[in-house]
Amino acid sequence: MPSTGIVEILALMALEKPQTLPGKPKTVILDAGIFWKPGASPIITTLRYYNESGMIFDSKGGLFHVLTKVVPVKTNKTSDASKIEFASPIEYLLMGDIIHLISLPTLGPDMVYDPHASALFRASGPVDSVDPSVFAFTMNLIQWTSYASHGVFPLKIYIAADSKWKSNRVNALPKLQRVVTLTGTMPVLPNSAESKGDEFCITVTRDLEYVGWTSPNPPGPAPPSTYLYSCSHRSTNSTLSTSRPNPTPFRNWRSAVHATVAHFTPFTYLHNLFGPIWLSISPI
């Protein structure tokens, strides 16, 4: 079941064939080639950019460092054809919006630069399923883009054999309903002989964080609660506190101590003068 999430790509991209929408001179539609894997042909994508700064795009193309949010074209047909009518008549794999970009200088003889460096896929959202047999889990994330207001991005995330969890990769797998954030690379394209499906396969080696649950009552045993018991006398302002993992035996401290102090002869006068000694129980 798709859930709200975030999918972003941080990569080197070749941006070319800029076109503006009628009546929206600052909205630029670009063809993008995402350098996603060393030695592989770039992923062809159509991106939309709000050109607030008035950046000039060369019609012949240029190289940029780009952060973008995207959704697959195949599983998210746009309802507004005018948004891509100026793009090249080619088959795009992805469509989306440019969040941030940095223009890179023209390569010179003294510059060492690899345009085929791996793209980074960043995702955040709830886990849909877990497959310990292949050390993987799936996420189906819904996010808004200019091309699809409820675009779905299917992901299958693998814990890499050379990851920091290589001694026990099963321990790195999140549980169902767990919300995670991760950064990884894509070793194969979807619908290829290796992937055999529409899912985008992402390999994680280090960056996998568990940030919460989709339900207030997550599956499995809840962590033990710690309670603080404070006993204070308002005449001396002294406090005695101790932490215990289980408050059950002490639920009646307040009434028991109140009754004992009120009827214990040496404290009768103080009780009548200053009131009862209250014992408060409050969770940390």
Side-chain angles (χ1 to χ4, degrees):
M1 182 70 180
S3 303
T4 302
I6 298 172
V7 181
E8 298 174 341
I9 299 177
L10 181 64
L12 300 175
M13 301 186 191
L15 302 181
E16 58 185 26
K17 301 178 182 177
Q19 299 287 342
T20 57
L21 292 177
K24 297 181 179 180
K26 290 188 177 182
T27 301
V28 183
I29 303 295
L30 296 146
D31 279 359
I34 303 176
F35 298 109
W36 63 284
K37 180 182 176 181
S41 299
I43 295 174
I44 306 303
T45 306
T46 177
L47 297 176
R48 178 169 170 157
Y49 179 59
Y50 183 70
N51 193 11
E52 186 176 13
S53 63
M55 179 180 290
I56 298 176
F57 294 93
D58 190 335
S59 60
K60 296 181 180 179
L63 198 60
F64 295 80
H65 194 254
V66 183
L67 175 63
T68 181
K69 61 176 181 177
V70 292
V71 293
V73 173
K74 185 175 182 179
T75 54
N76 298 281
K77 299 299 183 182
T78 178
S79 59
D80 188 355
S82 66
K83 293 177 181 177
I84 58 173
E85 65 181 356
F86 295 102
S88 300
I90 56 179
E91 185 175 352
Y92 297 107
L93 180 64
L94 299 169
M95 59 185 178
D97 301 298
I98 294 175
I99 300 173
H100 182 71
L101 58 78
I102 300 174
S103 177
L104 298 177
T106 303
L107 297 179
D110 298 329
M111 297 184 66
V112 178
Y113 190 74
D114 180 13
H116 293 85
S118 295
L120 293 180
F121 285 73
R122 308 196 310 188
S124 181
V127 174
D128 273 354
S129 65
V130 181
D131 187 355
S133 65
V134 292
F135 311 106
F137 60 95
T138 63
M139 304 167 71
N140 288 279
L141 303 180
I142 300 174
Q143 72 174 355
W144 182 93
T145 68
S146 297
Y147 293 103
S149 59
H150 293 83
V152 178
F153 206 120
L155 295 169
K156 189 166 187 177
I157 296 91
Y158 291 86
I159 307 299
D162 60 346
S163 69
K164 68 177 183 180
W165 307 279
K166 58 185 177 183
S167 60
N168 194 340
R169 286 189 282 168
V170 173
N171 282 351
L173 294 175
K175 298 182 182 299
L176 294 179
Q177 300 183 26
R178 199 71 153 116
V179 178
V180 300
T181 181
L182 61 94
T183 303
T185 57
M186 186 173 66
V188 296
L189 288 173
N191 296 307
S192 62
E194 296 87 352
S195 66
K196 300 178 181 179
D198 292 336
E199 296 172 322
F200 283 70
C201 299
I202 306 300
T203 300
V204 174
T205 57
R206 297 195 62 82
D207 185 19
L208 174 60
E209 304 292 337
Y210 315 99
V211 296
W213 298 90
T214 59
S215 170
N217 298 311
S225 301
T226 302
Y227 289 82
L228 179 68
Y229 301 88
S230 299
C231 178
S232 62
H233 193 298
R234 60 186 181 184
S235 63
T236 61
N237 293 324
S238 63
T239 301
L240 174 65
S241 64
T242 180
S243 296
R244 294 181 181 273
N246 185 4
T248 305
F250 307 103
R251 288 177 180 171
N252 297 320
W253 272 23
R254 177 170 178 167
S255 58
V257 173
H258 183 189
T260 302
V261 172
H263 294 90
F264 190 55
T265 304
F267 292 97
T268 302
Y269 174 76
L270 294 176
H271 174 266
N272 293 333
L273 181 62
F274 298 106
I277 297 176
W278 294 111
L279 187 69
S280 61
I281 302 177
S282 59
I284 293 179

